Amino acid sequence: MKYQFFTLLVLSIFILSNSLHAQGSSNLNEEAAAVAQKNTTTKVDTAQKTPWVINNKAVVTAEEAFYKNWTKDGFNSLAFTAIFLGKYNYITDLNKWENTIDLAFGLMAQDLDGDGKLDESLHPHKTDDKLNFTSSYSRKAFENFNYNATFDFRSQFSETYKDDSILTANIFAPAYLLTAIGMTYENKGFAALVAPITGKITLVTDERLSAQGVYGLQPGEKSLWEFGAYSKLTFSSGIVTNVSLDTKLEFFYDYASILFKDTYINWEVLINMKVNKYLSAFFAMQTIYDNKVTQDIQFKEKLGLMLAVEF
């Protein structure tokens, strides 16, 4: 009887210890699983909350026209345009740093004399030429208002001729550098920048142009400094399915100017109609008023198809 009681006691202790061990192991496994899940969630959340938003778009457009025994007016031509738009934005709850690279270059070769060969003796006619870089830093002030500092650079890649003989522009001739400090308001695709402290520099580095005194410069000068106020209004929104609208309206007024008619105005509109993942139809329009260049309003319009790749 004594031995039976002892055996029963040992067996009970053994079963109880195994039960406690199993329960402890289960608790440890559950804790380990919870920690692992927490770590995994943290890694995923960290990856999803990266402040950088990067988008690159490369666009190519081409056009060819051929005439033979055509009784109506027309001449053979071959044209292409290459466009690159890169956006590199760093966005947090309080800070926003937006960088944009906007490049475009297009040429058209023509057969004006009708001999069936593209004219090599003439200067190539450009259909587009743009070298732009913009960097803007904003810090939240209150609600939809932000403090803002903006740097904007604009020029072109190569020589531009009028009537195939008169040089009107070249790389860094002109080039515009603008630095503005002010405030922005943003709400539902609309943004307004008002910068009462703005410096603008116009450069004409090509001596053939600077000697003529163009783009508001005196003959022989290569730079013009201006201090004034700058404002920019932008709006971006979808119109209907697969159709988007982007527009920008800019003003710059030099405080040294007496009349408001000296205000520089630039208005751009782009309507993009997406056909599929790579093919889109577009309408682009730009209007510039700058009486330092010409008293007339400058106007440019394009309508066509483009093959675009985003990465």
Side-chain angles (χ1 to χ4, degrees), residues 171-242:
I171 186 170
F172 304 128
Y176 300 99
L177 292 86
L178 183 143
T179 303
I181 299 176
M183 294 196 72
T184 60
Y185 171 83
E186 299 180 8
N187 188 24
K188 297 181 180 180
F190 172 77
L193 166 64
V194 177
I197 304 175
T198 302
K200 181 182 178 184
I201 306 174
T202 302
L203 299 176
V204 180
T205 59
D206 191 308
E207 294 183 355
R208 294 171 295 176
L209 291 170
S210 61
Q212 302 174 25
V214 292
Y215 299 104
L217 280 69
Q218 297 297 319
E221 292 183 344
K222 292 188 176 182
S223 63
L224 172 66
W225 295 67
E226 298 174 273
F227 179 73
Y230 171 72
S231 64
K232 179 170 68 173
L233 309 176
T234 62
F235 179 72
S236 178
S237 177
I239 303 176
V240 294
T241 303
N242 294 331

Side-chain angles (χ1 to χ4, degrees), residues 17-18 44 57 80 129 193 200 226 232 252 296:
S17 63
N18 284 339
V44 172
K57 178 184 289 187
F80 85 95
D129 193 1
L193 166 64
K200 181 182 178 184
E226 298 174 273
K232 179 170 68 173
F252 175 77
D296 300 323

Side-chain angles (χ1 to χ4, degrees), residues 133-137 149-153 176-180:
F133 170 73
T134 303
S135 182
S136 176
Y137 171 74
T150 295
F151 172 81
D152 188 276
F153 171 81
Y176 300 99
L177 292 86
L178 183 143
T179 303

Side-chain angles (χ1 to χ4, degrees), residues 229-293:
Y230 171 72
S231 64
K232 179 170 68 173
L233 309 176
T234 62
F235 179 72
S236 178
S237 177
I239 303 176
V240 294
T241 303
N242 294 331
V243 179
S244 62
L245 167 68
D246 292 277
T247 184
K248 175 175 67 176
L249 180 61
E250 296 176 286
F251 302 90
F252 175 77
Y253 175 73
D254 182 7
Y255 289 140
S257 299
I258 300 176
L259 302 175
F260 280 99
K261 71 179 184 66
D262 296 331
T263 302
Y264 167 86
I265 304 174
N266 176 51
W267 181 32
E268 300 178 35
V269 175
L270 173 63
I271 298 176
N272 186 60
M273 296 156 279
K274 192 171 184 179
V275 179
N276 54 41
K277 184 178 180 180
Y278 300 105
L279 186 63
S280 298
F282 71 93
F283 170 79
M285 182 273 292
Q286 182 177 11
T287 300
I288 297 177
Y289 173 74
D290 187 355
N291 63 4
K292 292 184 176 64
V293 179

Side-chain angles (χ1 to χ4, degrees), residues 53-61 81-88 99-105 130 236 242-246 270-283 305-311:
V53 179
I54 298 175
N55 180 263
N56 298 293
K57 178 184 289 187
V59 177
V60 176
T61 66
T81 302
I83 300 171
F84 175 80
L85 179 62
K87 295 185 178 181
Y88 313 96
N99 301 279
T100 301
I101 299 176
D102 189 3
L103 312 176
F105 189 76
K130 183 164 52 176
S236 178
N242 294 331
V243 179
S244 62
L245 167 68
D246 292 277
L270 173 63
I271 298 176
N272 186 60
M273 296 156 279
K274 192 171 184 179
V275 179
N276 54 41
K277 184 178 180 180
Y278 300 105
L279 186 63
S280 298
F282 71 93
F283 170 79
L305 295 174
M306 63 182 180
L307 183 66
V309 178
E310 296 188 20
F311 55 96

Side-chain angles (χ1 to χ4, degrees), residues 3-133:
Y3 292 107
Q4 292 177 352
F5 176 78
F6 179 76
T7 303
L8 183 60
L9 179 61
V10 172
L11 183 60
S12 300
I13 294 174
F14 176 75
I15 294 173
L16 181 61
S17 63
N18 284 339
S19 176
L20 293 175
H21 177 72
Q23 184 177 358
S25 299
S26 177
N27 292 337
L28 289 175
N29 291 335
E30 290 178 1
E31 292 178 2
V35 171
Q37 184 178 1
K38 182 179 179 180
N39 292 337
T40 303
T41 303
T42 302
K43 291 179 181 180
V44 172
D45 291 344
T46 302
Q48 290 178 346
K49 293 181 179 179
T50 175
W52 282 102
V53 179
I54 298 175
N55 180 263
N56 298 293
K57 178 184 289 187
V59 177
V60 176
T61 66
E63 177 184 339
E64 183 266 344
F66 176 75
Y67 299 88
K68 185 176 182 180
N69 301 324
W70 190 255
T71 57
K72 299 179 181 180
D73 188 22
F75 50 85
N76 301 336
S77 64
L78 180 64
F80 85 95
T81 302
I83 300 171
F84 175 80
L85 179 62
K87 295 185 178 181
Y88 313 96
N89 302 331
Y90 182 91
I91 302 173
T92 63
D93 293 337
L94 294 178
N95 302 289
K96 182 186 295 185
W97 182 30
E98 300 173 290
N99 301 279
T100 301
I101 299 176
D102 189 3
L103 312 176
F105 189 76
L107 290 176
M108 173 183 287
Q110 299 170 317
D111 174 22
L112 297 179
D113 54 15
D115 63 355
K117 297 180 181 179
L118 297 177
D119 300 322
E120 298 180 355
S121 60
L122 302 177
H123 293 290
H125 293 270
K126 292 193 293 186
T127 58
D128 209 342
D129 193 1
K130 183 164 52 176
L131 172 58
N132 295 351
F133 170 73

